[in-house]
């Protein structure tokens, strides 16, 4: 199998190098860039292909371990999963070297000179700083270094789950530069490119890992193949629609995209056949799937090194560069509610969360089990608000105005997490998901249980950790140069949205969480922690209202909204929103806390009454039970 994959890798590389050399002058001329020479025309597509393939293999191998491993009681992965672990460990070192090399190649490409000339001139740091693509590869190199070092020491299941985070960051970093991050509608293309690149890398990596293992992939791996294939086709079609005007087929970009789509379609149909009709064999089918996805990665690499047809002759405006859309009118209630630009990342996440919760609720009720309707309502309202905040005029204007952005931030950080936490999704999942059973591979219920009892979850859900993250995040984001970077790009707005949502969820999980957690404060401590947050948020809002210089000044001046004459006054308005937006969430949290506290007191009183009325309660039995509890505590 390894020999067949190597032959396919060499064949794809040769075809890609030939295409890069033959089309080099034409590609640079179409983009209006100087021709840097034949070496760069070959090195750029090859480097992109090899680095993307190495990233995909690392992502797929980690996913395969997470899905297919059968860990011991201490979390140590089994021998079959460890063989895939070794693949990721070795490939991660290659990935690191390729990412560093691509940073140099991308900087030379954007500067329009050969890499050797750039290195000899000593201008490499300046070229890297001026190139979004080169900086993205630097981020990928840092993530690759973290993964390569960590894999030398990690052999437990939870560690592989944690390592998925830097790999996902690396994939997203390179996906949001180039065609996806510029020009009209780049908010749509950026979000779609993040999802497309992630699922394409996951599918390719899983296919490769499946081809390298001798064990038959379980049903969970097959389901992941089908899901990733469907998402790759869906988001790939969205990207082609956005980047090819009128579905014109008179460009290499269109030909490569349609060819890649056809190959992914064939792979997806075969995966559906294997999952729903008859499982595929071990040999040729696995190798064919991995080789096909390797060719798809090569086609995507060839597309990534050239300007999309939509941008070749487009006359860019400031709004195209910084927003991707126009905002000719000032915001009001009507425009905030009717100007919709659906976010295919965060908005889709809200839809998926709502649908999954409803399905779980219906299944639980069909099995004859009760579930409070209030939790269902809280969850659905939270999902609706999440979709509205991320996809309506709130996001559209929030990307261009600080005041609306602050309203968006406070909603995602203070309001939506409260509703989601009150929904109790983990408890619902544990009641709905079936146990794997003796002798069967672990499934979603076991994965969720391991995560809940892991040290990582214990650390993040600790009240002190959640408090620090919740309080420090606004100050770090807005009062450091970090905001100047994040506000400039659509991926920065996506990052802030996801970050504030997660941080808010962790904090309110520690305060009013219905789901089980590793550590819970007593109710007086929870109320104290809640009120301890309020001065920090009040001071944050006051600081925004009293500053004389605008945060993100260069960006807001570049956008130059004609109906927004004073960006400092807009920032003061944003500070007022931050100062006053905490009241409603705090009221909801206090009501929930008091209700939970009262229910707990009623349960304790009921137990004590039953104990007092029982004829069988005696001091010896109480002492024996106390001894058992103490022994259990000492064992833990």
């Amino acid at each position: 199998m390894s020999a067949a994959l190597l032959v396919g890798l060499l064949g794809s590389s040769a075809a890609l190098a030939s295409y890069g050399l033959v089309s080099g002058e034409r590609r640079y001329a179409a983009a209006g860039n100087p021709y840097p020479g034949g070496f760069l025309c070959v090195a750029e597509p090859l480097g992109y292909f090899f680095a993307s393939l190495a990233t995909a293999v690392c992502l797929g191998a980690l996913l395969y371990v997470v899905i297919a491993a059968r860990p011991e009681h201490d979390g140590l992965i089994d021998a079959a999963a460890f063989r895939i672990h070794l693949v990721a460990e070795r490939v991660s070192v290659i990935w690191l070297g390729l990412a560093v090399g691509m940073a140099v190649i991308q900087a030379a490409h954007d500067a329009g000179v050969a890499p050797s000339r750039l290195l000899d001139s000593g201008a490499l740091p300046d070229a890297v700083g001026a190139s979004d693509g080169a900086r993205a590869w630097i981020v990928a190199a840092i993530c690759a270094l973290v993964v390569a070092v960590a894999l030398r020491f990690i052999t437990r299941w939870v560690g592989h789950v944690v390592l998925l985070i830097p790999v996902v960051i690396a994939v997203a970093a390179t996906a949001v530069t180039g065609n996806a991050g510029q020009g009209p509608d780049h908010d749509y293309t950026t979000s779609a490119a993040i999802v497309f690149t992630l699922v394409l890398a996951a599918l390719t990596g899983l296919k490769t890992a499946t081809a390298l293992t001798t064990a038959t992939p379980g049903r969970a791996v097959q389901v992941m193949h089908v899901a990733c294939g469907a998402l790759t086709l869906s988001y790939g079609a969205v990207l082609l629609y956005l980047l090819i005007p009128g579905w014109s087929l008179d460009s290499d970009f269109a030909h490569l995209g349609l060819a890649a789509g056809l190959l992914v379609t064939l792979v997806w149909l075969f995966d559906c056949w294997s999952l729903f009709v008859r499982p595929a064999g071990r040999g040729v089918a696995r190798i064919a799937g991995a080789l096909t996805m390797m060719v798809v990665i090569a086609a995507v690499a060839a597309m990534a090194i050239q300007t999309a047809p939509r941008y070749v002759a487009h006359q860019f405006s400031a709004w195209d560069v910084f927003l991707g859309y126009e905002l000719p009118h000032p915001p009001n209630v009507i425009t905030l509610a009717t100007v919709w630009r659906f976010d295919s990342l965060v908005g889709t996440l809200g839809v998926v969360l709502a649908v999954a919760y409803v399905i779980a609720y219906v299944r639980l009720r069909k099995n004859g089990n009760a579930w409070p309707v209030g939790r269902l309502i809280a969850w659905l309202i939270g999902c609706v608000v999440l979709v509205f905040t991320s996809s309506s005029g709130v996001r559209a204007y929030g990307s261009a105005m600080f005041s609306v952005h602050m309203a968006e931030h406070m909603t995602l950080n203070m309001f939506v997490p409260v509703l989601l936490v009150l929904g109790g999704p983990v408890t619902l999942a544990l009641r709905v998901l079936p146990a794997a059973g003796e002798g069967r591979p672990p499934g979603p219920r076991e994965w969720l249980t391991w995560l809940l009892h892991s040290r990582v979850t214990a650390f993040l859900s600790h009240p002190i950790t959640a408090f620090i993250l919740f309080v420090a995040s606004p100050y770090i984001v807005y009062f450091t140069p970090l905001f100047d970077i994040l506000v400039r790009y659509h991926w920065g707005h996506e990052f802030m949205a996801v970050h504030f949502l997660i941080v808010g969820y962790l904090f309110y999980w520690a305060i009013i969480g219905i789901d089980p957690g590793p550590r819970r404060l007593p109710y007086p401590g929870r109320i104290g922690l809640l009120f301890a947050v309020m001065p920090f948020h009040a001071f944050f809002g006051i600081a925004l209202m009293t500053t004389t210089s605008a945060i993100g000044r260069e960006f807001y001046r570049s956008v130059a909204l004609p109906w927004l004459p004073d960006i400092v006054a807009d920032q003061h308005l944003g500070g007022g929103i931050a100062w006053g937006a905490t009241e409603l969430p705090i009221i909801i949290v206090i009501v929930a806390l008091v209700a939970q506290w009262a229910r707990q007191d009623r349960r304790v009183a009921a137990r004590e009454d039953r104990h007092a009325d029982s004829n069988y309660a005696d001091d010896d039995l109480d002492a024996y039970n106390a001894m058992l509890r103490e022994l259990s505590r000492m064992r833990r």
Side-chain angles (χ1 to χ4, degrees):
M1 290 187 179
S2 299
L5 292 178
L6 180 59
V7 171
L9 179 63
L10 294 177
S12 300
S13 304
L16 189 59
S18 301
Y19 173 78
L21 187 61
V22 171
S23 65
E25 293 189 30
R26 183 176 71 253
R27 287 187 288 108
Y28 281 89
N33 296 326
Y35 180 65
F39 174 78
L40 194 59
C41 290
V42 174
E44 186 185 14
L46 281 182
Y48 198 102
F49 167 63
F50 283 119
S52 300
L53 186 60
T55 310
V57 171
C58 288
L59 176 61
L62 291 173
L63 276 175
Y64 195 95
V65 172
V66 170
I67 296 173
R70 299 190 179 190
E72 303 292 339
H73 293 294
D74 59 353
L76 193 69
I77 60 176
D78 58 292
F82 184 71
R83 285 193 290 270
I84 303 299
H85 164 94
L86 290 178
V87 173
E89 181 180 326
R90 293 161 185 167
V91 173
S92 62
V93 179
I94 302 174
W95 174 29
L96 172 60
L98 291 169
V100 173
M102 274 303 297
V104 178
I105 292 174
Q106 191 67 51
H109 168 269
D110 292 344
V113 298
S116 58
R117 182 180 173 185
L118 187 63
L119 293 172
D120 294 339
S121 65
L124 179 61
D126 295 332
V128 171
S131 170
D132 290 342
R135 294 200 301 269
W137 284 112
I138 292 294
V139 173
I142 295 173
C143 295
L145 178 62
V146 171
V147 173
V149 173
L151 284 175
R152 298 286 297 178
F153 303 98
I154 290 177
T155 54
R156 284 175 168 76
W157 184 86
V158 173
H160 293 80
V161 176
V162 175
L163 284 183
L164 286 172
I165 298 175
V167 180
V168 168
I169 293 174
V171 173
T174 56
V176 297
T177 56
N179 290 315
Q182 62 188 5
D185 296 324
H186 72 254
D187 55 330
Y188 288 145
T189 55
T190 297
S191 299
I194 293 174
V195 181
F196 170 77
T197 311
L198 282 173
V199 294
L200 175 63
L203 181 59
T204 304
L206 282 171
K207 288 289 184 181
T208 305
T210 303
L212 291 174
T213 183
T214 57
T216 302
R219 185 173 179 83
V221 176
Q222 293 178 318
V223 170
M224 186 64 72
H225 284 170
V226 173
C228 288
L231 289 173
T232 301
L233 290 173
S234 302
Y235 280 89
V238 171
L239 284 174
L240 290 179
Y241 173 77
L242 292 172
L243 297 177
I244 301 175
W247 291 96
S248 174
L249 302 180
D250 58 352
S251 64
D252 292 348
F253 191 94
H255 298 157
L256 291 167
L258 293 179
L262 177 60
L263 291 176
V264 175
T265 301
L266 294 176
V267 171
W268 181 71
L269 290 175
F270 181 79
D271 288 336
C272 291
W273 174 270
S274 300
L275 177 63
F276 299 111
V277 181
R278 187 172 62 184
R282 293 185 177 183
V284 178
R286 296 186 185 183
I287 297 176
L291 290 177
T292 303
M293 294 310 303
M294 194 179 297
V295 174
V296 172
I297 292 289
V300 172
M303 297 169 65
I305 62 171
Q306 56 186 296
T307 304
R310 184 178 184 183
Y311 304 147
V312 171
H314 182 75
Q315 298 297 322
F316 286 85
S317 65
W319 284 354
D320 288 335
V321 174
F322 294 104
L323 297 178
Y325 50 89
E326 296 182 354
L327 292 175
H329 305 292
N332 53 47
V333 176
I334 296 177
T335 55
L336 290 177
T338 58
V339 177
W340 274 80
R341 300 186 67 84
F342 184 75
D343 190 323
S344 56
L345 180 61
V346 181
T348 302
L349 175 64
V351 174
V352 170
L353 290 176
V355 172
Y357 196 99
V358 170
I359 292 175
Y361 175 80
V362 172
R363 290 187 59 182
L364 192 67
R365 294 300 299 268
K366 283 185 176 180
N367 293 335
N369 298 315
W371 185 257
V373 179
R375 297 183 184 180
L376 172 66
I377 295 174
W379 181 268
L380 292 181
I381 293 176
C383 292
V384 169
V385 176
L386 176 61
V387 173
F388 179 82
T389 305
S390 63
S391 303
S392 67
V394 176
R395 166 59 69 87
Y397 281 90
S399 298
M401 296 177 61
F402 186 85
S403 58
V404 183
H405 165 79
M406 188 53 60
E408 175 192 357
H409 159 201
M410 299 306 294
T411 303
L412 293 175
N413 190 229
M414 301 285 291
F415 187 68
V416 174
V418 173
L419 297 171
L420 296 183
V421 166
L422 290 177
V426 177
T427 303
L428 178 62
L430 290 175
R431 293 186 63 180
V432 170
L433 294 173
E438 189 68 28
R440 301 187 64 183
R445 180 185 176 86
E446 287 71 28
W447 303 336
L448 185 58
T449 304
W450 296 337
L451 281 177
L452 282 176
H453 294 87
S454 67
R455 295 180 180 179
V456 176
T457 304
F459 172 76
L460 292 176
S461 64
H462 192 283
I464 302 301
T465 304
F467 174 81
I468 293 174
L469 289 174
F470 191 72
V471 167
S473 291
Y475 292 90
I476 294 175
V477 170
Y478 293 101
F479 294 140
T480 66
L482 183 61
F483 183 73
D484 294 329
I485 299 173
L486 296 177
V487 75
R488 164 68 177 80
Y489 304 98
H490 180 72
W491 63 261
H493 291 278
E494 296 286 67
F495 174 83
M496 286 188 284
V498 174
H499 168 75
F500 286 124
L501 186 65
I502 293 175
V503 168
Y505 190 94
L506 289 174
F507 177 74
Y508 289 114
W509 183 20
I511 299 294
I512 55 172
I514 297 171
D515 295 326
R519 187 182 296 270
R520 281 285 187 270
L521 286 176
Y523 282 99
R526 301 186 196 184
I527 295 177
L529 195 65
L530 178 64
F531 282 101
V533 166
M534 297 178 66
F536 292 97
H537 273 274
F539 180 77
F540 171 72
I542 294 172
L544 290 176
M545 288 189 289
T546 55
T547 53
T548 57
S549 61
I551 299 174
R553 180 176 62 254
E554 296 300 325
F555 169 76
Y556 291 116
R557 284 182 177 177
S558 300
V559 174
L561 296 174
W563 37 262
L564 185 66
D566 192 347
I567 60 176
V568 175
D570 185 64
Q571 178 179 301
H572 291 167
L573 176 59
I577 292 173
W579 180 69
T582 59
E583 295 183 1
L584 179 60
I586 291 299
I587 293 174
I588 296 175
V589 173
I590 290 178
V591 171
L593 266 176
V594 172
Q596 291 175 0
W597 198 352
R599 283 197 298 267
Q600 185 192 52
D601 287 345
R602 286 196 297 268
R603 287 194 296 266
V604 172
R607 284 197 300 268
E608 291 177 351
D609 291 342
R610 288 195 301 270
H611 181 75
D613 296 340
S614 174
N615 296 326
Y616 298 99
D618 54 42
D619 294 338
D620 293 337
L621 181 60
D622 290 342
Y624 180 71
N625 289 333
M627 180 189 70
L628 291 180
R629 287 194 297 269
E630 181 65 18
L631 290 174
S632 177
R633 186 188 66 80
M634 294 175 62
R635 287 187 63 187
R636 288 197 300 268

